[in-house]
Amino acid sequence: MIKNIALSREIILNESFPVDYNVRVEYPPGPNKGHYSTPVAMECAKIFKRSPNDIANEIVEKIKEVPEISEYFEKIEIANPGFINIFISTKVHIEMIQKFNQDSKSIYNLVKTKDHEKKIIFEFVSANPTGPLNIVSARAAAVGDAICRIIKICGYNIYREYYVNDYGNQVKLLGLSLVARYLQKKGHEASLPEEGYQGEYIKDVLEEILKKISLNSETDVKLLDKTVKTLDIVKNDDSQWKEKLGESFGTEAVEILRASHEKDLNAFGVYFDNFFSEKNLHDGGEVDKALKVLKKAQKVYEQDDATLFKSTDYGDEKDRVIVRSDGRPTYLLADIAYHKSKIDRGFTHIYDIWGPDHHGYIARLKGAMKAMGFPESDKEKKKEAFEVMIVQQVNMIEDGKPVVMSKRLGKFHTMTDLLEKIPADVVRYFFLMRSQSSHLDFDLDLAMNHSSKNPVYYIQYAHARICSIFREAKKDIDADIKISNLTSEQIKSSFREELLLMLWRFPEIVEQISINFEVQILSEYLYNMTSVFTRFYHEKENRILPLLETSPNEAEFLLKIIQITRQVIKEGLELLGISAPVKMEGLLKQQDEETI
RNA sequence: GCGCCAGUAGCUCAGCUGGAUAGAGCAACGGCCUUCUAAGCCGUCGGUCAGAGGUUCGAAUCUUCUCUGGCGCACCA
């Protein structure tokens, strides 16, 4: 609908007001101000040096002259200081109902354009494989997954990737931490390395490695086995031996942890097309290649035996070391190589979601992308072709106090902890309720104690109610209900038009999110739409079962409305990765027990 | 010191690329089950949008400064 209005306005505008202008269409604050409105006259006032009201008048007159456009508008009003308020006609409702009647894809107004040919890669979560997934990773997973689902439903190709930092110092440290735990287990004196990983999970990982050794006889495992068996005769201060064992342990542990991340994410309903290994990047010489590209672009220089990238050329506050004085590449260079691989693999749009501790990193990586010649921006959309989003931190609040999270000290709330306490549907909704770029206080007590008042249940409840009505009416929920002779009176009364208008917004909102990635708009919308539905539901005139006897025509119409409502809730929740239950009995029982 | 995110109702937060009377939920108070699920609905209470200037027809939104809070500023990843 927005598109139709904007389009019609553009036709009109181009005639009398020849200006390249993007017409905005908004939802007005109240029903007396129209169903849709546009401030375009006010925005153009300055350009043409005329009063907004004048311009608005002229536009409205022009619209009235074009019958194929004006038949969609019941009336158009001008409100001070120059808003054009549009009231849509019954014809629009009838056409929209038919549209929703077809397969669910057709509601998104999918016209394949050249824009749909772009290849998008979306990288998110990418947690270090040195410990269990934490809450921020869970948030990133929820947000990234929802954005991917929305982009996909809008007809784009999207590839989901997870970058695994299975290389470097942290892996070594992880391995040495395991060696220390192993020695302790065998009754030797051993202390964790400085900055080592202290979490309890290290012991579980160790057990799993040892189990693997006893079950498996693959070559590298064999090597490990041999090393372990000779342990007792080796002095435990033999650092060379420790290094070697640490390396094997580290490699094994990283794979175990990575696999557990994947498992946790799958349980959360999040899937990836690929897990991209940093180690392969190093082993395959890709890191050196990236360095060569930067050198060729003349964006590197040497200083004190180290190699630096001139990120200041791209607005960074200082140049960054990419090769250390001892010749080892830094994480940044590897990351540049990783992003180079994204370009090499033919992706035209590269999006990342990073954790809050990486925001200082954006400038330098964006600089590197430019240095490698990746297009700066996509002029048609407002997003750049390479965009990094930051998911801000999550503070877990328990008993009114923030819970301290630290991976190194082993005191943290993992994603698994969270999902044990709170159902995945609720966790997802909480993470998707607010914009990812702001801090989030996650009140555990509130999430658990007030779960029955939780907005996600409210939405699911509406879905269950609709399913229940169809059960009671003995109708198939997917039945093709034909509507005939719809009158304007039928639509206008008892919150019906309010609900319909709300429903027509759904594809508009989904499309909007596919461009700006602000997922919380969808959760907000679903809640508000559900609220309008519940009001509609409670109106006596909208009670369907009695009407089936007295006025089947009316009943069919109402069934059609709730059928579409159900379709929107179901698809909307699906885009957020949340289930749409047919019944809510389980929770009802729970609540009854509480009241007894 | 520099940078990022923020400061909106008692609490947690929405408020879309400036637009009309600043919105939800929770909490508090008062109504509504002979009626398709009361996990609900209706109503009441509650705000100097941290503060001060600037831009303009119009600012919670953009901009500058100040104050407050959180986080980040490695030849770690």
Side-chain angles (χ1 to χ4, degrees):
Chain A
M1 190 60 212
I2 281 194
K3 266 187 188 161
N4 290 343
I5 294 171
L7 199 70
S8 70
R9 205 57 39 72
E10 256 149 33
I11 296 165
I12 308 302
L13 267 179
N14 285 343
E15 269 178 36
S16 46
F17 303 99
V19 60
D20 183 22
Y21 198 84
N22 190 18
V23 177
R24 283 195 296 138
V25 179
E26 304 171 333
Y27 305 122
N32 56 330
K33 296 186 175 67
H35 304 136
Y36 290 89
S37 84
T38 173
V40 66
M42 288 177 290
E43 288 170 341
C44 290
K46 207 189 249 171
I47 305 170
F48 298 109
K49 298 202 169 78
R50 287 173 55 187
S51 94
N53 273 322
D54 258 20
I55 296 175
N57 262 312
E58 192 166 329
I59 292 173
V60 170
E61 287 310 310
K62 289 272 181 189
I63 290 171
K64 282 179 181 163
E65 282 167 19
V66 188
E68 57 266 32
I69 295 171
S70 59
E71 68 180 342
Y72 287 100
F73 305 146
E74 189 180 85
K75 67 179 170 178
I76 304 178
E77 288 177 351
I78 295 165
N80 280 324
F83 288 102
I84 299 172
N85 295 337
I86 292 148
F87 296 77
I88 62 173
S89 65
T90 315
K91 189 179 161 70
V92 175
H93 290 307
I94 293 168
E95 281 194 8
M96 288 303 280
I97 288 171
Q98 277 164 358
K99 202 172 210 174
F100 273 72
N101 216 8
Q102 297 160 20
D103 66 306
S104 63
K105 292 276 179 292
S106 68
I107 64 179
Y108 298 103
N109 223 349
L110 279 186
V111 183
K112 285 274 177 190
T113 62
K114 212 165 178 201
D115 195 43
H116 285 92
E117 287 165 18
K118 63 189 189 188
K119 278 185 78 188
I120 305 171
I121 184 167
F122 209 98
E123 180 209 337
F124 60 112
V125 184
S126 297
N128 285 346
T130 50
L133 288 175
N134 60 23
I135 307 292
V136 177
S137 298
R139 187 180 185 187
V143 170
D145 183 55
I147 294 174
C148 286
R149 285 174 194 237
I150 289 167
I151 292 175
K152 197 177 172 197
I153 204 106
C154 288
Y156 297 96
N157 294 313
I158 187 150
Y159 190 78
R160 300 147 164 251
E161 194 161 85
Y162 186 117
Y163 183 47
V164 187
N165 303 125
D166 52 357
Y167 184 88
N169 207 32
Q170 56 173 359
V171 178
K172 191 175 160 188
L173 214 52
L174 180 66
L176 289 175
S177 303
L178 282 158
V179 171
R181 288 294 185 210
Y182 185 71
L183 289 170
Q184 287 170 358
K185 185 184 155 77
K186 288 285 174 185
H188 297 276
E189 285 277 318
S191 55
L192 282 170
E194 227 174 287
E195 303 280 305
Y197 295 94
Q198 303 184 14
E200 283 299 304
Y201 65 90
I202 291 290
K203 289 176 186 169
D204 300 336
V205 172
L206 179 66
E207 288 308 316
E208 205 164 322
I209 293 174
L210 297 176
K211 204 168 125 196
K212 230 176 176 176
I213 292 167
S214 63
L215 291 175
N216 212 312
S217 59
E218 296 298 315
T219 37
D220 48 333
V221 177
K222 239 179 188 169
L223 175 80
L224 191 67
D225 186 26
K226 199 177 159 196
T227 330
V228 170
K229 274 181 183 154
T230 54
L231 176 69
D232 291 331
I233 51 167
V234 180
K235 281 181 187 166
N236 85 56
D237 57 355
D238 183 340
S239 60
Q240 222 184 345
W241 172 83
K242 267 192 192 170
E243 290 268 322
K244 203 172 159 67
L245 183 59
E247 214 174 282
S248 310
F249 271 0
T251 310
E252 283 295 324
V254 159
E255 180 45 33
I256 287 169
L257 286 163
R258 190 212 60 81
S260 84
H261 288 179
E262 187 171 9
K263 205 178 133 215
D264 288 349
L265 289 165
N266 290 353
F268 197 43
V270 180
Y271 298 88
F272 287 88
D273 292 311
N274 190 29
F275 284 79
F276 193 99
S277 157
E278 183 188 352
K279 191 168 180 293
N280 288 350
L281 219 46
H282 288 271
D283 296 349
E286 295 301 319
V287 178
D288 293 335
K289 280 186 201 158
L291 181 61
K292 274 180 195 148
V293 171
L294 291 180
K295 270 183 182 160
K296 207 174 170 189
Q298 301 193 318
K299 291 294 176 190
V300 291
Y301 63 93
E302 308 249 328
Q303 190 179 63
D304 305 331
D305 295 331
T307 310
L308 283 88
F309 168 55
K310 280 194 227 173
S311 53
T312 44
D313 285 2
Y314 304 98
D316 199 8
E317 45 192 36
K318 64 177 184 183
D319 293 335
R320 307 291 171 175
V321 174
I322 49 174
V323 181
R324 300 181 182 88
S325 40
D326 62 8
R328 285 155 51 232
T330 63
Y331 173 76
L332 176 60
L333 184 57
D335 217 6
I336 292 170
Y338 171 45
H339 282 81
K340 180 177 170 291
S341 108
K342 291 182 185 177
I343 302 172
D344 293 347
R345 282 182 280 161
F347 291 106
T348 57
H349 290 74
I350 299 173
Y351 302 126
D352 294 357
I353 294 184
W354 291 353
D357 47 340
H358 284 67
H359 73 249
Y361 225 80
I362 298 175
R364 58 195 90 158
L365 195 61
K366 276 198 168 178
M369 290 299 263
K370 283 176 194 166
M372 291 189 290
F374 192 69
E376 275 188 43
S377 65
D378 183 349
K379 276 175 191 164
E380 291 185 16
K381 304 274 168 180
K382 275 171 187 162
K383 285 265 175 220
E384 289 189 34
F386 172 55
E387 193 85 28
V388 180
M389 284 153 275
I390 295 290
V391 168
Q392 278 295 344
Q393 68 181 104
V394 180
N395 298 315
M396 302 306 290
I397 311 285
E398 207 165 19
D399 302 327
K401 281 183 207 162
V403 181
V404 183
M405 277 176 280
S406 160
K407 200 182 268 191
R408 290 276 154 88
L409 295 175
K411 271 202 295 180
F412 58 92
H413 281 266
T414 63
M415 180 172 166
T416 331
D417 286 344
L418 184 66
L419 289 173
E420 266 169 26
K421 286 180 180 165
I422 301 160
D425 282 344
V426 179
V427 171
R428 279 212 175 211
Y429 193 84
F430 266 59
F431 284 150
L432 296 170
M433 263 166 89
R434 43 208 62 156
S435 70
Q436 66 263 27
S437 57
S438 44
H439 295 223
L440 170 65
D441 281 343
F442 198 112
D443 192 326
L444 285 167
D445 304 316
L446 201 76
M448 289 183 290
N449 293 345
H450 299 278
S451 59
S452 62
K453 302 260 180 186
N454 199 294
V456 70
Y457 294 137
Y458 181 76
I459 298 168
Q460 290 180 326
Y461 183 40
H463 181 268
R465 269 179 163 160
I466 294 171
C467 293
S468 167
I469 294 173
F470 273 86
R471 272 196 304 274
E472 295 290 321
K474 300 198 165 45
K475 297 260 182 188
D476 178 9
I477 192 116
D478 296 315
D480 183 9
I481 303 167
K482 294 269 187 257
I483 306 296
S484 51
N485 304 325
L486 206 51
T487 65
S488 139
E489 289 70 37
Q490 259 179 303
I491 294 177
K492 298 260 181 233
S493 64
S494 313
F495 295 106
R496 291 165 191 179
E497 188 168 41
E498 282 84 341
L499 180 55
L500 289 174
L501 284 164
M502 207 59 188
L503 292 169
W504 309 151
R505 285 185 191 183
F506 178 62
E508 295 163 358
I509 280 174
V510 170
E511 200 199 335
Q512 187 192 348
I513 298 170
S514 77
I515 295 163
N516 67 12
F517 298 165
E518 304 277 347
V519 230
Q520 80 282 0
I521 295 172
L522 182 56
S523 11
E524 186 90 358
Y525 162 78
L526 282 178
Y527 188 86
N528 291 336
M529 190 273 285
T530 303
S531 174
V532 173
F533 164 75
T534 333
R535 209 175 305 151
F536 159 93
Y537 170 88
H538 280 276
E539 284 293 306
K540 284 200 178 83
E541 292 79 10
N542 295 334
R543 210 148 289 156
I544 291 169
L545 294 188
L547 281 173
L548 278 171
E549 304 291 325
T550 58
S551 174
N553 192 31
E554 177 92 343
E556 293 273 289
F557 171 53
L558 294 175
L559 277 172
K560 186 77 223 172
I561 295 181
I562 66 165
Q563 191 181 44
I564 294 172
T565 309
R566 186 253 178 177
Q567 187 186 346
V568 168
I569 295 178
K570 192 172 172 239
E571 296 212 8
L573 286 176
E574 205 171 289
L575 289 175
L576 299 178
I578 298 170
S579 66
V582 177
K583 279 183 181 177
M584 295 294 274
E585 280 176 334
L587 277 151
L588 253 178
K589 273 179 198 157
Q590 226 175 51
Q591 210 235 358
D592 286 346
E593 279 162 23
E594 276 169 25
T595 48
I596 294 162

